[in-house]
């Protein structure tokens, strides 16, 4: 995530010193573990800032690398070969299998295993946010509810639209998202972010919603809508993708994840989209899409979803319709120190820093995004970018219509949308009566939640 606050750039921290020294030596974490006797899992936590090494351990790690063979030579071919070896070692350290020197074998679909695969990327995101958030953590923790202070009968959900990326609400959104078990990206292009708060308990934070531009081509979605390429070009601006949906404790234990999902289809979200993006000329295409939010898409975080596939609206219909699975590709498995190594390789080997950035994005020569950096790096290493991104974690795709005729309208067959949205108040009451009160009576673990247990840094 890079929306709200600057990322940490503390080059003097033990994590940064160790990362930079290892990159300069051209060593993998696995090799450093073998040579130093320090467990690879500990080295990973040191580099991601999850743990701070004792001074004697840090000194031992640095001396081992100093005493070892010289790092990458000035020979470009040798440097590429060394980096290619580190890429494969990095993948194996995470539990992936490399097939034929390039293809990642699909991983098993056990959710605990998938969380472990994301652990390094999550730790890296937290460390990069440290400098911006550590001084605010007391205030952020205070906005969480203690379980013992909650009366489920008095919960009154509301939405707060986070519009100012420099605000305390924005810091709260970002800090909460850092607790997710998978890394949260900033999303593409246009973005809408919301805090779900409990007006019945002093506006304590209940959950998060994050919407962003969808990908242009998504076969399961496009098949259901049935639109042509031209229709998609003209109406894709009326679709957003939920890249964050979830609840924070103690509300998460009262099934408030279902509430956050329901609220993406609320009238308040629809209205926030209209205020922010309706009838707004897009930067790249230079057109006025007369945008109305007709459809929200999302994908389960870890394989098949147990949340969206049974989520009912007050009229008994499914709020989210399952339509298929992703292909299992992405870049989460190239986070942390290995990404820094790949980015440095691209910067050094790309003449003039050329990039695929659109001219309307400004005169900077920086690369467009992580995907471009990785694609260029893999090409330079003689690896197939598509195969290297194929991690095998297939996510289930869902569509949440905001209008009963969303598909016909997106195909430009209907001239207006037949809205099916409800207010946050109505959806909040439905969630409380349908799920929260029953869960509160049948499980009591939520009562023991202490907000201080959620601290990341202090």
């Amino acid at each position: 995530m890079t929306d709200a606050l600057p990322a940490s750039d503390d080059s003097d921290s033990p994590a940064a010193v160790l990362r930079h020294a290892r990159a300069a030596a051209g060593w993998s974490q696995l090799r450093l573990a073998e040579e130093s006797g320090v467990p690879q899992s500990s080295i990973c936590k040191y580099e991601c800032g999850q743990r701070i090494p004792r001074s004697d351990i840090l000194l031992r790690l640095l001396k081992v690398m100093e005493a070892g063979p010289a790092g990458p030579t000035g020979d470009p071919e040798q440097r590429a070969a060394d980096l290619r070896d580190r890429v494969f070692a990095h993948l194996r350290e995470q539990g992936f299998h490399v097939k034929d020197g390039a293809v990642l074998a699909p991983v098993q679909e056990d959710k605990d295993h998938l969380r472990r695969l994301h652990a390094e990327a999550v730790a890296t995101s937290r460390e990069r946010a440290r400098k911006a958030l550590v001084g605010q953590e007391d205030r952020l923790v205070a906005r969480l509810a203690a379980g013992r202070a909650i009366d489920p009968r008095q919960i009154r959900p509301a939405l707060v639209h986070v519009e100012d990326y420099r605000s305390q609400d924005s810091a709260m959104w970002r800090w909460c998202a850092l607790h997710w078990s998978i890394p949260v990206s900033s999303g593409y292009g246009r973005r809408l972010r919301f805090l779900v708060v409990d007006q019945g308990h002093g506006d304590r934070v209940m959950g998060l919603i994050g919407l962003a531009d969808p990908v242009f081509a998504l076969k399961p979605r496009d098949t259901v809508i049935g639109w042509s390429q031209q229709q998609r070009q003209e109406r894709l601006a009326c679709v957003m993708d939920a890249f964050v949906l979830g609840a924070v404790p103690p509300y998460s234990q009262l099934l408030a994840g279902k509430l956050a999902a329901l609220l993406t289809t609320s009238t308040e979200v629809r209205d926030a989209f209209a205020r922010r993006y309706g009838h707004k000329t897009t930067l790249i295409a230079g057109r006025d899409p007369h945008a109305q939010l007709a459809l929200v898409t999302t994908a389960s975080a870890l394989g098949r979803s147990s949340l969206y596939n049974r989520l009912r609206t007050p009229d008994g219909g499914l709020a989210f319709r399952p339509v298929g699975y992703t292909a299992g590709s992405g870049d989460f498995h190239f986070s942390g120190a290995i990404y820094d190594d790949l980015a440095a390789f691209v910067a050094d080997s790309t003449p003039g820093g050329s990039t695929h950035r659109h001219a309307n994005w400004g005169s900077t020569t920086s690369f467009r995004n992580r995907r471009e950096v990785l694609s260029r790096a893999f090409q330079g290493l003689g690896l197939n970018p598509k195969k290297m991104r194929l991690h095998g974690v297939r996510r289930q795709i869902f569509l949440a219509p905001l209008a009963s005729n969303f598909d016909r309208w997106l195909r430009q067959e209907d001239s207006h949308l037949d809205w099916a949205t409800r207010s946050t108040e109505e959806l909040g009451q439905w969630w409380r009566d349908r799920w929260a009160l029953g869960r509160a009576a049948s499980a009591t673990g939520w009562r023991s939640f202490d907000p201080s247990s959620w601290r990341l840094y202090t």
Side-chain angles (χ1 to χ4, degrees):
M1 302 169 50
T2 56
D3 293 357
L5 298 165
S8 174
D9 187 26
D10 187 357
S11 59
D12 295 327
S13 71
V17 169
L18 185 55
R19 286 198 309 268
H20 294 159
R22 188 171 63 80
W27 286 30
S28 68
Q29 288 183 350
L30 182 59
R31 179 181 176 185
L32 180 55
E34 292 173 345
E35 297 288 342
S36 67
V38 177
Q40 185 271 328
S41 59
S42 296
I43 294 173
C44 177
K45 290 176 181 178
Y46 295 154
E47 292 193 357
C48 294
Q50 284 184 300
R51 289 172 55 186
I52 298 176
R54 298 198 317 263
S55 58
D56 60 319
I57 292 179
L58 179 59
L59 185 60
R60 185 204 313 175
L61 293 170
L62 296 176
K63 283 188 173 180
V64 164
M65 288 186 284
E66 277 184 13
T73 68
D75 179 7
E77 292 186 5
Q78 183 59 49
R79 184 185 178 196
D82 291 340
L83 181 54
R84 191 160 48 243
D85 289 343
R86 295 205 300 278
V87 166
F88 292 146
H90 170 81
L91 294 172
R92 294 188 183 100
E93 287 165 6
Q94 295 184 84
F96 286 101
H97 300 287
V98 181
K99 182 180 179 181
D100 298 329
V103 182
L104 297 179
V107 301
Q108 56 185 311
E109 294 190 0
D110 173 73
K111 291 192 176 183
D112 287 336
H113 177 72
L114 298 182
R115 290 187 181 95
R116 289 194 295 272
L117 289 177
H118 289 91
E120 182 178 357
V122 170
T124 298
S125 296
R126 291 175 178 177
E127 179 60 22
R128 286 176 173 166
R130 173 186 291 272
K131 186 175 182 179
L133 296 177
V134 65
Q136 306 183 63
E137 194 159 46
D138 287 344
R139 293 191 297 272
L140 301 175
V141 169
R143 297 185 65 179
L144 299 179
R148 64 182 181 278
I150 298 297
D151 178 355
R153 297 167 299 178
Q154 301 301 317
I155 296 175
R156 290 193 296 118
L159 281 177
V160 175
H161 184 192
V162 182
E163 298 186 76
D164 183 354
Y165 290 159
R166 297 176 297 275
S167 68
Q168 187 66 212
D169 285 340
S170 182
M172 187 69 189
W173 195 100
R174 186 183 187 193
W175 180 76
C176 287
L178 289 170
H179 290 78
W180 263 228
S181 59
I182 65 172
V184 174
S185 71
S186 60
Y188 292 97
R190 301 170 304 163
R191 285 180 287 274
L192 292 173
R193 298 185 303 163
F194 301 88
L195 291 174
V196 183
V197 301
D198 180 2
Q199 291 183 329
H201 295 87
D203 286 341
R204 292 298 189 269
V205 174
M206 301 179 67
L208 309 178
I209 296 172
L211 305 179
D213 274 335
V215 297
F216 183 76
L218 185 62
K219 185 176 180 179
R221 176 201 68 198
D222 298 338
T223 299
V224 170
I225 296 172
W227 51 10
S228 66
Q229 185 169 347
Q230 181 62 33
Q231 291 166 343
R232 180 176 58 186
Q233 176 73 28
E234 295 180 5
R235 285 281 165 91
L236 188 62
C238 302
V239 178
M240 294 199 88
D241 184 68
F243 66 100
V244 172
L245 280 180
V248 304
Y251 299 97
S252 55
Q253 299 171 54
L254 298 176
L255 304 181
K258 295 180 182 292
L259 171 66
L262 284 170
L263 293 182
T264 63
T265 67
S266 67
T267 302
E268 286 82 352
V269 167
R270 186 187 98 193
D271 290 345
F273 177 92
R275 290 192 302 271
R276 184 78 175 268
Y277 297 117
H279 304 281
K280 183 176 181 180
T281 301
T282 58
L283 178 63
I284 303 303
R287 58 185 169 83
D288 183 349
H290 301 285
Q292 301 179 76
L293 184 58
L295 177 68
V296 172
T297 65
T298 195
S300 61
L302 301 167
R304 187 174 182 274
S305 171
S306 59
L307 187 157
Y308 305 122
N309 56 12
R310 295 191 299 271
L311 184 59
R312 299 283 177 177
T313 58
D315 63 5
L318 279 175
F320 286 77
R321 307 177 187 179
V323 296
Y325 289 82
T326 64
S329 65
D331 55 35
F332 77 82
H333 49 306
F334 293 106
S335 297
I338 194 65
Y339 178 78
D340 294 338
D341 292 348
L342 291 166
F345 175 76
V346 173
D348 291 345
S349 60
T350 303
S354 60
T355 174
H356 294 306
R357 289 177 63 90
H358 193 283
N360 288 351
W361 294 354
S363 59
T364 178
T365 59
S366 63
F367 294 104
R368 181 174 57 183
N369 53 31
R370 281 178 57 92
R371 183 173 297 182
E372 181 178 355
V373 169
L374 292 172
S375 178
R376 286 173 176 259
F378 295 141
Q379 289 172 359
L381 295 175
L383 302 172
N384 186 314
K386 290 185 178 179
K387 291 183 177 180
M388 294 305 294
R389 298 184 72 250
L390 189 62
H391 50 61
V393 181
R394 301 181 68 221
R395 304 172 66 194
Q396 193 172 14
I397 300 170
F398 294 86
L399 307 187
L402 277 69
S404 60
N405 63 335
F406 77 98
D407 48 354
R408 296 190 300 276
W409 188 81
L410 291 173
R411 294 195 302 265
Q412 301 178 323
E413 296 171 3
D414 287 1
S415 60
H416 67 281
L417 285 163
D418 295 327
W419 296 112
T421 58
R422 294 177 170 83
S423 69
T424 294
E425 181 179 7
E426 182 181 355
L427 291 172
Q429 290 177 351
W430 161 250
W431 163 80
R432 185 186 62 211
D433 297 341
R434 173 66 178 81
W435 287 288
L437 293 180
R439 176 54 64 93
S442 64
T444 59
W446 58 274
R447 295 182 183 277
S448 62
F449 174 72
D450 179 357
S452 66
S453 68
W454 241 41
R455 290 182 178 274
L456 290 175
Y457 307 114
T458 58

